[in-house]
């Protein structure tokens, strides 16, 4: 399955000041939507179906990255449904993630991240990802793994996880 996908995914934006992804739809791709080191962004009303890696992937080393991901649908991602690595002030809300092979929503090293009102079902079902790598972030329906030095000396919270449904 992987060999039939375009390397890099359907939509990838790097080092931008501001990005809006609105009502976009991806099917059968390496990745759905990836934002890397974007200072502010919005992904809404979009969908990713049957991706080899994450349906939505936020990767940031920028201080003050303000990313909002809401009202999206992720189906059958062969890794995490939504993956957040690094960054600050990110909000993931009102999304539907179903059938992700690994964690429905996975956070690694992000700070001040709010996860609220998401529906996650049938996820976290295998210990490898779509590339065949074991330990493919299969931790839980929603998982947070803080790491590294903290760029915010005393954040009011690392992860705020509120009113989600995991089945």
């Amino acid at each position: 399955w992987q060999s039939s996908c375009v390397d890099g995914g359907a939509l990838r934006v790097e080092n931008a000041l501001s990005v809006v992804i609105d009502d976009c739809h991806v099917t059968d791709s390496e990745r759905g939507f990836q934002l890397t080191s974007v200072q502010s962004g919005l992904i809404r009303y979009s969908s990713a179906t049957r991706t080899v890696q994450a349906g939505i992937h936020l990767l940031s080393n920028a201080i003050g990255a303000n990313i909002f991901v809401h009202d999206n649908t992720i189906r059958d991602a062969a890794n995490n449904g939504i993956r957040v690595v690094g960054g600050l002030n990110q909000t993931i809300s009102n999304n539907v993630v179903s059938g992700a092979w690994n964690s429905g929503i996975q956070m690694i090293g992000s700070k001040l991240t709010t996860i609220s009102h998401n529906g996650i079902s049938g996820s976290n079902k295998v210990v490898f990802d779509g590339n065949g790598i074991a330990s493919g972030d299969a931790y839980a329906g929603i998982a947070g793994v803080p790491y590294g030095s903290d760029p915010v000396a005393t954040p009011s919270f690392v992860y705020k996880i509120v009113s989600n449904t995991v089945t």
Side-chain angles (χ1 to χ4, degrees):
W1 181 38
Q2 179 188 5
S3 64
S4 66
C5 296
V6 176
D7 187 30
L11 189 148
R12 182 177 183 146
V13 178
E14 296 185 8
N15 303 314
L17 289 176
S18 182
V19 173
V20 174
I21 298 171
D22 190 356
D23 194 29
C24 294
H25 307 282
V26 174
T27 302
D28 299 322
S29 181
E30 177 74 18
R31 257 188 218 99
F33 309 102
Q34 179 169 325
L35 301 183
T36 302
S37 296
V38 169
Q39 290 187 24
S40 69
L42 172 65
I43 302 174
R44 66 178 179 190
Y45 310 126
S46 297
S47 66
T49 303
R50 292 186 307 274
T51 56
V52 174
Q53 296 185 42
I56 296 176
H57 188 178
L58 307 179
L59 176 61
S60 179
N61 57 8
I63 301 297
N66 297 299
I67 309 291
F68 297 91
V69 176
H70 70 85
D71 295 294
N72 299 290
T73 301
I74 309 299
R75 290 190 179 99
D76 301 322
N79 184 234
N80 306 121
I82 299 173
R83 181 178 174 87
V84 180
V85 179
L88 298 169
N89 301 320
Q90 297 167 113
T91 301
I92 313 298
S93 67
N94 292 324
N95 298 286
V96 174
V97 177
S98 62
W101 288 18
N102 304 143
S103 297
I105 299 175
Q106 173 73 49
M107 300 161 290
I108 302 172
S110 59
K111 307 286 188 278
L112 303 170
T113 301
T114 301
I115 307 297
S116 68
H117 300 93
N118 297 286
I120 299 163
S121 65
S123 296
N124 200 46
K125 51 191 178 182
V126 296
V127 296
F128 54 89
D129 63 19
N131 290 316
I133 298 171
S135 182
D137 299 327
Y139 300 113
I142 299 173
V145 181
Y147 72 88
S149 61
D150 190 352
V152 177
T154 55
S156 57
F157 62 91
V158 176
Y159 306 127
K160 185 186 293 183
I161 302 172
V162 182
S163 298
N164 297 282
T165 302
V166 179
T167 59

